[in-house]
Amino acid sequence: MNARHKQNWAALSDVGRIRSHNEDAYLADPPLFVVADGLGGHEAGEVASQLAVETLRDHAPRRPDSNALARAVRAANREVIRAAREGIGRSGMGTTITAALVEGTHAVVAQVGDSRAYLMRGGTLTRITEDHSMVADLIRSGQITEAESRIHPNRSVITRALGTDPNMYADTFEIDGEPGDRLLLCSDGLTSMLLDTEIAKALEEHSDPAAAARELIRAANHAGGQDNITVVIVDLDGGTSASHGPRESERRLRGVVKVIGWLLLLALVVGGIGAATYRYARSRAFLITSGNDLVLYRGVPGDLGGLSLSWQLDSGTIAVSALSPAEQARLAEGERFDSVAEAQRAFDDYERRAPADVHF
Ligand code: MG
């Protein structure tokens, strides 16, 4: 678990109980607070969410200005698209983003995807954002209920994200708060595990934001912890005014760390495929379709410097058209997993959900 907190805010992220990577990213740098949930294959999701948070930090206004915050989100979107095009991360990688700019009891929120913002006032929890997801659309059109959405096979399909559409825009919200109001930003790893009433209870019972954040993470893990869980809690009591940005020395240090990161990557590429890369590939797995054939490989899709790092383990025929468009797209490109066991489970699941039509 990694955590940051001050008297009137807390930020906490946990990998959960199933995933081996944390693809969520967050920022708590008053007056700016951000949660981002990376998508599109494990390593790439991490790159996308981190890049989006960093770009947003560099472009965000220092006052609650919703248009300026939305512009910063668009800059983050362009940056994720550019990075994928230049081969950083992976094409098709993306991220949600939910950002709040807080000044006293006034806040603006910009949001894309299914990471949410809530406002807690006097024991009542109100959802500020509306998820950009397939199940949210189905709930809005009356086709399924909130309870059904929690077990819907396409519950993780989101309809708007950073990293895919250059014309993407963020929804923005203004909060004219009162002292004592509490703002919560969170990834779907929290809201897919806990009902709003359970979230409200944790926020109500813990006046210390750090304690409330710990309790939310504990409860989400207790309920299954099926995804990465990130929570940012900000008490709107006037203590989060735009008093300071990142210090210049801190910015410079971050810049240096970034440059060292790129140099290491460059050394790895120039030096050829190292043992570490080989070991890494051996620990991974992916599923890919070719026509109606679903193939399970150990390794990573594509090749590195002309060298293929994949080994076929299993294959089968499925009815690819029975899967959602998002799943089809993912499988056509190669859906990545952290382990062979995880990929094997997904393989079995696809075979079960999209059995091939057998004609004699
Ligand atoms: Mg998530």
Side-chain angles (χ1 to χ4, degrees), residues 24 37 187-189 227-228:
D24 287 357
D37 178 349
S187 63
D188 69 331
D227 194 3
N228 309 142

Side-chain angles (χ1 to χ4, degrees), residues 16-327:
R17 293 173 57 191
I18 306 289
R19 306 283 173 92
S20 56
H21 275 66
N22 193 342
E23 293 191 290
D24 287 357
Y26 71 82
L27 178 76
D29 185 11
L32 179 65
F33 299 88
V34 189
V35 168
D37 178 349
L39 320 148
H42 291 260
E43 305 76 41
E46 267 172 62
V47 173
S49 60
Q50 195 56 44
L51 194 57
V53 165
E54 284 173 11
T55 309
L56 193 64
R57 184 196 62 215
D58 294 343
H59 288 79
R62 304 306 292 171
R63 303 282 317 275
D65 175 336
S66 56
N67 289 331
L69 190 59
R71 274 198 301 280
V73 172
R74 287 202 294 279
N77 179 50
R78 285 193 298 275
E79 189 59 24
V80 176
I81 293 174
R82 189 192 61 77
R85 198 184 295 134
E86 291 176 5
I88 303 160
R90 181 162 81 96
S91 93
M93 71 178 178
T95 183
T96 73
I97 205 149
T98 298
L101 208 300
V102 179
E103 190 177 68
T105 56
H106 183 206
V108 293
V109 171
Q111 168 247 358
V112 176
D114 64 354
S115 301
R116 293 180 185 166
Y118 286 89
L119 186 72
M120 181 82 173
R121 173 176 295 172
T124 305
L125 186 69
T126 308
R127 253 185 237 181
I128 296 166
T129 51
E130 281 190 24
D131 295 350
H132 303 135
S133 69
M134 189 184 274
V135 288
D137 288 346
L138 293 172
I139 293 171
R140 274 193 287 274
S141 62
Q143 296 180 60
I144 61 170
T145 64
E146 171 94 32
E148 284 164 345
S149 76
R150 293 181 165 271
I151 50 167
H152 196 280
N154 292 334
R155 62 189 176 278
S156 58
V157 175
I158 66 170
T159 51
R160 208 194 298 175
L162 270 62
T164 47
D165 177 4
N167 298 315
M168 179 254 27
Y169 62 95
D171 288 349
T172 56
F173 307 85
E174 293 262 347
I175 300 165
D176 229 346
E178 296 170 359
D181 285 358
R182 179 171 264 189
L183 187 63
L184 166 70
L185 312 181
C186 59
S187 63
D188 69 331
L190 181 77
T191 51
S192 60
M193 290 292 110
L194 299 182
L195 297 171
D196 286 5
T197 49
E198 296 168 311
I199 294 172
K201 186 166 172 279
L203 292 174
E204 172 93 80
E205 284 177 357
H206 298 273
S207 59
D208 171 30
R214 280 195 300 272
E215 172 55 21
L216 286 171
I217 299 262
R218 188 207 61 77
N221 273 326
H222 183 71
Q226 287 180 11
D227 194 3
N228 309 142
I229 311 150
T230 302
V231 299
V232 173
I233 296 172
V234 187
D235 286 335
L236 303 185
D237 54 8
T240 47
S241 60
S243 54
H244 65 88
R247 283 184 304 280
E248 190 52 36
S249 59
E250 203 178 326
R251 274 183 193 276
R252 269 205 305 273
L253 181 63
R254 284 177 185 150
V256 170
V257 169
K258 214 184 234 175
V259 167
I260 290 173
W262 289 121
L263 287 176
L264 279 174
L265 187 66
L266 191 66
L268 190 68
V269 170
V270 172
I273 310 298
T277 310
Y278 179 82
R279 266 202 310 279
Y280 171 79
R282 288 292 297 178
S283 72
R284 305 285 140 154
F286 67 97
L287 297 177
I288 196 160
T289 47
S290 162
N292 275 330
D293 285 332
L294 177 66
V295 188
L296 165 63
Y297 286 93
R298 178 190 290 284
V300 289
D303 63 19
L304 251 143
L307 182 65
S308 163
L309 288 170
S310 60
W311 301 267
Q312 187 174 334
L313 298 177
D314 200 354
S315 74
T317 308
I318 61 168
V320 169
S321 60
L323 299 173
S324 75
E327 287 173 324

